Amino acid sequence: TNASEVFVTVSIEDQITPTAICDEITQVALSSDGTATVFAETFDNGSYDNCCLEGFEVRRLEDTAFEQSVVFDCEDLTGSNQVVLKVDDCYGNSNTCMVEVLVEDKLFPYLTVPADQEVSCEIYYSDIAAELEIGNPSVLDDLFGTATFGDNCSFNTTYTYTYDVDQCGVGSIVRSWTVTDGSGNGP
């Protein structure tokens, strides 16, 4: 019998890219330091592969390098934020999809005001009355302290004061601070 034998090496390769499925819209809330770090897996909505998934990476639409996470900050509160999610399989194949990211600032500004105080008639007339008459409320800050305030992003403050003191030095001085951030959080 005539016979011959030939050995052939067969390479089996996975050349099928994974199916990338992204969240359509992802909402992200900024933390107290005005940033939010979002890991790539957060944007996934059930991506799969015919063999095995290796991992996820993400980048902003305008960036070129993929990373494990993307950072958002106060500047991302306005406008559109698009990210690209990259899905990798175990054999070097990858696919991408896009996600719109809505960045939100849900934190209220903080505001601490000085405690109520009583002053004598003498102190009012010697240290306060004349300054208020000429429109200089800083004397109130010097004598009674001022509010402390801030926010994780930009904010606006307003300060008002009213005084209603009679000729005997009896009455009240009311100081008010209002702090509102750019997202409308605040009173």
Side-chain angles (χ1 to χ4, degrees):
T1 69
N2 293 334
S4 64
E5 210 173 288
V6 175
F7 292 96
V8 177
T9 302
V10 177
S11 295
I12 301 173
E13 296 179 4
D14 176 8
Q15 295 181 350
I16 299 172
T17 61
T19 300
I21 303 172
C22 286
D23 287 336
E24 186 176 334
I25 298 173
T26 299
Q27 293 177 287
V28 174
L30 298 177
S31 65
S32 61
D33 70 353
T35 65
T37 300
V38 183
F39 290 92
E41 294 84 2
T42 303
F43 303 110
D44 179 54
N45 194 24
S47 299
Y48 61 91
D49 185 61
N50 63 320
C51 291
C52 63
L53 286 178
E54 172 120 329
F56 303 94
E57 294 177 294
V58 65
R59 67 173 171 84
R60 289 177 178 263
L61 184 60
E62 64 273 11
D63 294 342
T64 56
F66 283 96
E67 304 287 341
Q68 295 301 308
S69 63
V70 63
V71 177
F72 297 96
D73 61 28
C74 296
E75 293 180 14
D76 297 310
L77 288 169
T78 59
S80 177
N81 300 290
Q82 298 283 326
V83 297
V84 179
L85 176 68
K86 181 177 154 199
V87 181
D88 297 312
D89 74 8
C90 300
Y91 298 101
N93 301 306
S94 63
N95 203 349
T96 61
C97 54
M98 290 181 35
V99 179
E100 180 180 355
V101 180
L102 299 176
V103 179
E104 300 174 321
D105 174 16
K106 295 182 177 185
L107 299 179
F108 278 70
Y110 65 87
L111 172 64
T112 305
V113 298
D116 291 346
Q117 297 182 27
E118 289 186 23
V119 297
S120 69
C121 208
E122 293 79 25
I123 292 175
Y124 175 74
Y125 282 113
S126 66
D127 296 336
I128 301 171
E131 294 296 321
L132 292 180
E133 288 296 325
I134 63 170
N136 181 16
S138 65
V139 68
L140 300 173
D141 295 345
D142 296 340
L143 292 172
F144 307 115
T146 187
T148 56
F149 45 82
D151 190 53
N152 60 339
C153 292
S154 64
F155 60 93
N156 296 310
T157 60
T158 57
Y159 169 72
T160 60
Y161 70 97
T162 59
Y163 64 101
D164 181 22
V165 180
D166 65 19
Q167 69 275 9
C168 297
V170 176
S172 64
I173 300 171
V174 177
R175 300 187 299 160
S176 299
W177 291 268
T178 303
V179 182
T180 306
D181 70 13
S183 295
N185 299 319

